[in-house]
Amino acid sequence: MNDFLWGDTTPMGIARNAAMAGHTFADRTHAGRALADELLALGLTGPLVVLALPRGGVPVAAEIARALGAPLDLLLVRKIGAPFQPELAVAAVVEGSPPDVVINEDTANLPGVDEAWIQAQLPAALREIERRRGVYLAGRPQQPVKGATVIVVDDGIATGTTLRAALRALRRRHPARLIVAVPVGPHAAIAELDDEVDAVVCLLEPRPFRAIGLHYRDFHQLGDDEVCAALNAANAGGQAG
């Protein structure tokens, strides 16, 4: 059975949630440091690999990678939005051969959403994945994850569709253990990850949940230069064996 670390109903979990209630992270770096503290307390043993979902997950993951002395890499996935609301995920596509497409069953029946719509959006999504791999990684080979404890990081979860797609694709690469670490997300979406991973570390599960950005004082959209800088700085900091 998977472990829910934070957000649980034990006395310690309840106390932690109460202490964090209403808390706002200064920025993604602050959130990453808070997550790193929780992960360090788990006493994880190597090999460890930290995978960030760009763009927003990169500065969060960079702090975790530095704290754990682990390499930082990317897990490249693109959300496919609804025709009338691009930010509302109806599916997600993960790089691979062939690419892995996961449908969000909760939004699959919305007006204008069908197989033809999703297929029409795939080429642009795959082009952006390829662009990001070239810009962010600059030819750097992917970190091997087979047999490793892999920590997948984002700056928050909304529906969880994008993250679940990434996790299902990642399982095909045979990590020994799969952990999700996020600063904030709705309880239902966090609970749905139970079947996808071995453990979840989530600092905030606000009820009701409205938006990830409400829990950050600085939640600006990251540029490519910021993503590259965070990746380079984290991987230049040394790695633990």
Side-chain angles (χ1 to χ4, degrees):
M1 184 171 179
N2 298 339
D3 303 316
F4 277 83
L5 310 167
W6 210 293
D8 60 15
T9 57
T10 65
M12 181 175 292
I14 292 171
R16 281 174 162 173
N17 277 330
M20 293 293 289
H23 181 80
T24 299
F25 300 109
D27 54 22
R28 293 176 177 91
T29 297
H30 176 206
R33 289 172 182 163
L35 280 170
D37 288 343
E38 292 298 308
L39 290 161
L40 283 168
L42 299 181
L44 300 172
T45 56
L48 303 175
V49 177
V50 179
L51 297 180
L53 273 71
R55 298 172 177 161
V58 174
V60 182
E63 295 300 318
I64 293 171
R66 273 194 285 267
L68 297 179
L72 174 61
D73 202 349
L74 300 180
L75 189 55
L76 292 168
V77 56
R78 287 292 290 172
K79 173 175 61 181
I80 294 176
F84 56 90
Q85 190 176 349
E87 290 304 310
L88 179 61
V90 299
V93 56
V94 187
E95 65 175 342
S97 299
D100 193 8
V101 179
V102 177
I103 307 299
N104 181 2
E105 299 299 334
D106 294 333
T107 56
N109 295 321
L110 291 174
V113 178
D114 55 18
E115 179 66 20
W117 167 258
I118 292 171
Q119 289 297 321
Q121 309 312 305
L122 281 180
L126 292 171
R127 284 195 299 271
E128 178 61 13
I129 284 175
E130 184 64 25
R131 186 195 72 83
R132 290 186 175 196
R133 174 155 294 283
V135 171
Y136 299 156
L137 298 176
R140 188 184 305 147
Q142 285 186 310
Q143 285 288 336
V145 300
K146 185 176 181 179
T149 294
V150 179
I151 304 165
V152 178
V153 182
D154 205 353
D155 57 7
I157 295 175
T159 66
T161 301
T162 304
L163 180 57
R164 286 196 301 274
L167 293 169
R168 290 171 190 176
L170 183 58
R171 278 293 188 194
R172 297 202 303 254
R173 294 162 61 185
H174 306 295
R177 191 177 185 206
L178 196 51
I179 298 172
V180 166
V182 292
V184 59
H187 177 76
I190 297 298
E192 286 178 359
L193 293 173
D194 187 34
D195 294 332
E196 308 290 346
V197 299
D198 301 295
V200 179
V201 179
C202 181
L203 302 180
L204 293 174
E205 296 181 21
R207 302 189 191 189
F209 178 86
R210 294 188 176 89
I212 296 170
L214 293 177
H215 302 280
Y216 288 85
R217 287 197 290 274
D218 176 2
F219 196 65
H220 72 278
Q221 183 172 344
L222 296 176
D224 288 344
D225 55 343
E226 293 176 275
V227 173
C228 293
L231 283 166
N232 292 336
N235 284 319
Q239 302 166 9

